[in-house]
Amino acid sequence: MGTDPQPMDSGAPLLTVPVDLGSAAYQVLIGRGALGQLGAQIIKRGFKSGCRVLVVSNAHVSGHYGETVRRSLEHAGLITDFLELEAGEVHKTPATVALIHDRACSHQLERGSLIVALGGGVVGDMAGFAAATWLRGIGVVQVPTTLLAMVDAAIGGKTGVNHAGGKNLIGAFHQPQLVLIDPETLATLPPREVRAGMAEVIKYGVIGDPVLVDSLEERQQLNCLEGIGKSLLLQILRRSAAAKARVVATDEREGSLRAILNYGHTLGHVVETLTGYERYLHGEALAIGMAAAGELSLSLGLWSAQDQQRQLALLERSGLPMAAPDLDGEAIRNCLLRDKKVRDGRVRFILPTGIGSVVIRDDIDLDQAVTALRATNRGS
Ligand SMILES: NC(=O)c1ccc[n+]([C@@H]2O[C@H](COP(=O)([O-])OP(=O)(O)OC[C@H]3O[C@@H](n4cnc5c(N)ncnc54)[C@H](O)[C@@H]3O)[C@@H](O)[C@H]2O)c1
């Protein structure tokens, strides 16, 4: 991880986190006011003045930050067009990607052109997928504006959309040219979305970064930006980006190690699915999934009650739910068996063995997993 300030053409220095993927290597740049440096950073990466750029966003995000982005791109001589999509997971579909393709066509995007994704994970996944498929692949720059997308979705090259048969079933690996993170954009993010992003941050701590966990534990309140504070926020962004970069550089296509990023997701996904994707945000379901995975580790003797307590305390300080709703045992079982990552009828669980370490297990008795998930709502 390079934390040296990077000399800039203009504006404040940015933190740099490299993603080492050989010929597809790129950087994650993080810093206040980074948005205003977008155009200059794109030129630095070899795109010439006169290059065509399509910014994909939604009306809400674009209303806040579109003008800054447009000015920065046009100042760099880039021929810029904007497309505003409908916001929300329900619009993460092939039909919406077709709208991006239509605009790519009318804005005459060529092989050397660029798509910029300005928004949360929904915009990032769709703009990335459109870039992966337009002319068999053009460049994409991810400019995430939610905490979840900054620490997770924008980095690593997974792009795609939902199919009626399930979430993220259609997609491609397509690494960005650059990820540009401006923490100032979080100022307008609804507090519930900030909390949901914190679930992914806690995930990184538990799977491999005890130093991050120590830093988080120093704060009484992690449920809002004021409680987190500016310096911890920068540390969170840098360490989470570095953690994701490390895992992706070792295992770009999720052969093995990348699976640990799914910590909390297997049981969290059950909660999301069985509540119809409406009751919980993804990060909230993930929090319940991590609490349940911790219970499972506890019942298997893989980690201590004290470790589980530390994890639960962080989730609580972040204002996240930890108790699963009342769910039918048979429904949980069936949902686990339909998981995308089931192989030969064996469900893969990522289980914590301590604060900062996990194991991948596919030999877990499903009844024990059901019991662990239900155990999270003991007290409620
Ligand atoms: N590609 C990956 O590796 C990866 C990883 C994790 C999640 N995802 C995907 O990410 C998606 C979830 O992303 P998300 O949590 O960012 O949700 P999101 O993209 O739906 O954004 C949440 C809401 O916040 C609004 N918003 C975004 N930035 C804002 C800002 N700065 N100010 C005010 N409002 C703002 C959006 O318009 C939206 O209404 C899911 O589709 C998930 O599958 C992808």
Side-chain angles (χ1 to χ4, degrees):
M1 176 197 335
T3 53
D4 294 340
Q6 172 167 312
M8 293 293 309
D9 301 341
S10 59
L14 303 176
L15 294 172
T16 306
V17 178
V19 185
D20 297 321
L21 280 168
S23 60
Y26 56 97
Q27 293 177 323
V28 181
L29 300 181
I30 307 167
R32 293 181 188 288
L35 225 48
Q37 302 181 29
L38 179 62
Q41 288 294 345
I42 287 173
I43 297 292
K44 267 191 170 181
R45 275 148 189 88
F47 293 87
K48 302 268 179 291
S49 165
C51 169
R52 290 179 176 272
V53 176
L54 174 62
V55 181
V56 177
S57 189
N58 66 41
H60 193 203
V61 175
S62 179
H64 286 299
Y65 307 108
E67 203 38 49
T68 307
V69 165
R70 181 189 292 280
R71 253 187 280 123
S72 177
L73 295 175
E74 288 181 350
H75 185 72
L78 300 163
I79 302 171
T80 306
D81 192 11
F82 264 73
L83 175 63
E84 291 176 356
L85 305 173
E86 296 289 335
E89 186 73 32
V90 289
H91 297 288
K92 203 175 107 172
T93 59
T96 311
V97 170
L99 296 178
I100 307 177
H101 288 150
D102 289 348
R103 189 61 77 87
C105 187
S106 62
H107 190 49
Q108 298 167 24
L109 294 192
E110 307 165 351
R111 274 270 163 81
S113 305
L114 194 62
I115 289 181
V116 170
L118 174 68
V122 166
V123 162
D125 277 10
M126 284 196 290
F129 186 54
T133 44
W134 185 248
L135 303 179
R136 299 198 178 85
I138 65 169
V140 63
V141 169
Q142 293 283 351
V143 184
T145 60
T146 64
L147 182 56
L148 183 138
M150 289 178 184
V151 301
D152 189 4
I155 307 165
K158 274 193 189 176
T159 72
V161 292
N162 302 326
H163 179 266
K167 263 195 83 173
N168 297 326
L169 290 185
I170 305 166
F173 285 96
H174 189 59
Q175 298 296 340
Q177 256 64 38
L178 167 71
V179 180
L180 188 94
I181 297 177
D182 188 339
E184 281 181 354
T185 58
L186 294 179
T188 51
L189 190 66
R192 187 177 174 198
E193 297 286 351
V194 173
R195 295 195 291 272
M198 280 306 294
E200 298 282 358
V201 173
I202 294 168
K203 177 193 81 176
Y204 283 118
V206 174
I207 66 174
D209 192 345
V211 174
L212 177 60
V213 170
D214 288 344
S215 300
L216 296 175
E217 285 175 335
E218 284 169 16
R219 294 288 194 288
Q220 281 310 314
Q221 272 199 318
L222 295 164
N223 60 353
C224 58
L225 289 175
E226 297 72 34
I228 295 167
K230 289 186 178 179
S231 67
L232 179 60
L233 179 61
L234 266 189
Q235 196 190 340
I236 283 172
L237 296 174
R238 180 169 55 81
R239 294 194 80 92
S240 301
K244 179 122 192 205
R246 237 180 352 255
V247 171
V248 168
T250 312
D251 177 21
E252 186 185 358
R253 297 199 167 219
E254 203 166 310
S256 53
L257 183 69
R258 193 164 177 171
I260 71 170
L261 296 173
N262 292 322
Y263 172 55
H265 283 68
T266 306
L267 289 164
H269 187 61
V270 168
V271 171
E272 268 183 304
T273 308
L274 295 183
T275 54
Y277 292 96
E278 280 181 355
R279 179 160 165 189
Y280 299 103
L281 294 179
H282 173 71
E284 292 168 342
L286 169 61
I288 297 170
M290 289 193 286
E295 281 292 333
L296 191 48
S297 269
L298 198 54
S299 69
L300 292 165
L302 292 177
W303 80 344
S304 67
Q306 192 198 357
D307 286 336
Q308 169 71 338
Q309 203 39 53
R310 283 180 73 186
Q311 170 174 258
L312 293 178
L314 285 181
L315 295 172
E316 190 174 7
R317 282 186 206 185
S318 304
L320 287 160
M322 293 172 282
D326 222 356
L327 299 172
D328 176 63
E330 203 46 34
I332 298 173
R333 239 186 114 80
N334 288 336
C335 193
L336 281 170
L337 285 168
R338 282 199 308 269
D339 192 283
K340 250 191 308 197
K341 283 151 188 127
V342 170
R343 293 279 176 283
D344 303 325
R346 293 156 88 94
V347 182
R348 189 169 58 181
F349 290 93
I350 316 300
L351 296 177
T353 53
I355 296 292
S357 59
V358 286
V359 284
I360 303 175
R361 294 273 299 261
D362 67 355
D363 60 344
I364 303 298
D365 178 357
L366 288 195
D367 289 339
Q368 234 174 327
V370 170
T371 304
L373 183 58
R374 302 182 94 186
T376 57
N377 75 2
R378 257 189 308 249
S380 59

